[in-house]
Amino acid sequence: MAATPEEVHHWEPLPKVPPRHPESHKGDFGTVLVIGGSTGMAGAPALAGMAALRGGAGLVRVAVPEPCLAVTAGFEPSYMVFPLPADRNGRIRLGAYDLLRRRAAGCDWLVLGPGLGRSLGLDALVNRLYRECPLPMVVDADALNALARGDGTLPEPGGPRVLTPHPGEFRRLVPSAACVRAWDEKWEAAAVCGASWRAVVVLKGHRTFVTDGERRYLNATGNPGMATGGSGDVLSGLIAALGAQGFDPFSAAQLGVYLHGKAGDLAALELGHAGLLASDLVRFLPRAFLATTEGV
């Protein structure tokens, strides 16, 4: 009989969510900056921003191309939204770099990628932020595609990085992984990348795998209803919120993946799988936190 994943590897224990001090204020729980959006995808950074709020961040800022400003702001009154210079197709321009660095100066964690779109200017912007920004950063969606070089290498990171690829994005980052089928080989490839890239890799899937090359965590929460557009944006915002509250990058990713799946499981109990939306995950995050802290 083949060994189970649990028998083969040592998995890191799940970190605990600490109680909040009665005299806490919003500054104690960190500030998250979400960078993303483009014409037609203004909801993606909104989902990440709402998830960061539901994930416990004290303050959330969302930076989007100027044409997306009103749409993104309309989703949620609790985060702050500011415009970035846009190209003629409604995507962030490369010239937004200096403004982004100024806005990021007062933040604790960044999310880069939700709804970003692709252009040569954006590819250059993403690579420069990845190399030069010292703040911890969750990199997702088209920001991952912008980093892909086709040879399995990435730029040297300017600070802590959490990369959250789904299998297709991982294959673009690591083309040699395209022929890998077995679960243990995929995880080993992700672990090698985590060590080489000096980053936490969150390989999303049926059982999402989190690794930094040394530590490993195999998630057991989640369900097929979460296979829907925007689910990854919610995860990115949640991980950044946990990091902004003091969790190290691996622990933030590990706990974020667990809570994300737990919210999906709780939502599915009430709504079923077929009609589940990414926004439902945001709505059920408080219940996921409650269930986790109570050991349910």
Side-chain angles (χ1 to χ4, degrees):
M1 181 181 295
T4 67
E6 287 74 10
E7 293 170 331
V8 173
H9 294 292
H10 166 71
W11 307 110
E12 293 294 321
L14 196 69
K16 303 294 185 182
V17 180
R20 293 194 167 192
H21 192 277
E23 296 182 6
S24 300
H25 59 82
K26 60 188 176 184
D28 293 328
F29 304 113
T31 300
V32 171
L33 172 63
V34 178
I35 303 167
S38 56
T39 297
M41 293 190 288
L47 285 167
M50 291 188 289
L53 288 167
R54 288 294 192 185
L59 289 169
V60 176
R61 301 170 181 168
V62 185
V64 297
E66 193 277 333
C68 298
L69 185 70
V71 175
T72 303
F75 283 105
E76 174 57 56
S78 303
Y79 54 49
M80 297 168 282
V81 186
F82 63 88
L84 298 171
D87 64 21
R88 62 182 180 181
N89 293 310
R91 298 173 299 221
I92 300 171
R93 291 176 52 199
L94 174 59
Y97 177 82
D98 290 336
L99 175 58
L100 282 170
R101 287 299 303 270
R102 290 195 299 271
R103 292 287 189 174
C107 299
D108 298 289
W109 270 67
L110 272 59
V111 177
L112 179 63
L116 198 64
R118 296 294 305 279
S119 71
L120 293 177
L122 270 173
D123 285 359
L125 177 65
V126 167
N127 276 268
R128 190 174 179 190
L129 286 169
Y130 191 90
R131 292 192 314 268
E132 298 179 6
C133 183
L135 292 174
M137 181 187 299
V138 181
V139 186
D140 187 34
D142 275 328
L144 292 170
N145 295 326
L147 292 175
R149 295 172 164 180
D151 61 1
T153 66
L154 289 185
E156 194 70 16
R161 302 290 183 257
V162 177
L163 280 61
T164 60
H166 58 57
E169 291 162 342
F170 189 66
R171 286 192 295 270
R172 285 189 281 276
L173 290 167
V174 189
S176 61
C179 60
V180 174
R181 294 289 182 266
W183 58 262
D184 54 339
E185 294 177 351
K186 291 180 182 179
W187 298 339
E188 190 58 37
V192 169
C193 290
S196 174
W197 299 339
R198 296 196 295 115
V200 176
V201 177
V202 178
L203 183 56
K204 296 183 290 194
H206 167 56
R207 298 192 71 183
T208 293
F209 178 63
V210 182
T211 182
D212 60 3
E214 295 184 5
R215 293 174 288 179
R216 300 174 182 223
Y217 172 72
L218 184 64
N219 191 52
T221 59
N223 62 79
M226 298 171 66
T228 184
S231 182
D233 303 319
V234 173
L235 177 61
S236 295
L238 176 57
I239 292 172
L242 294 168
Q245 292 170 82
F247 287 96
D248 68 88
F250 178 87
S251 297
Q254 180 188 15
L255 185 56
V257 163
Y258 176 86
L259 289 166
H260 182 252
K262 187 68 173 179
D265 289 341
L266 292 169
L269 284 174
E270 186 172 315
L271 305 172
H273 290 162
L276 202 63
L277 301 177
S279 55
D280 295 323
L281 303 179
V282 176
R283 186 159 58 92
F284 278 83
L285 273 175
R287 300 190 202 182
F289 272 94
L290 188 61
T292 301
T293 55
E294 293 182 348
V296 177

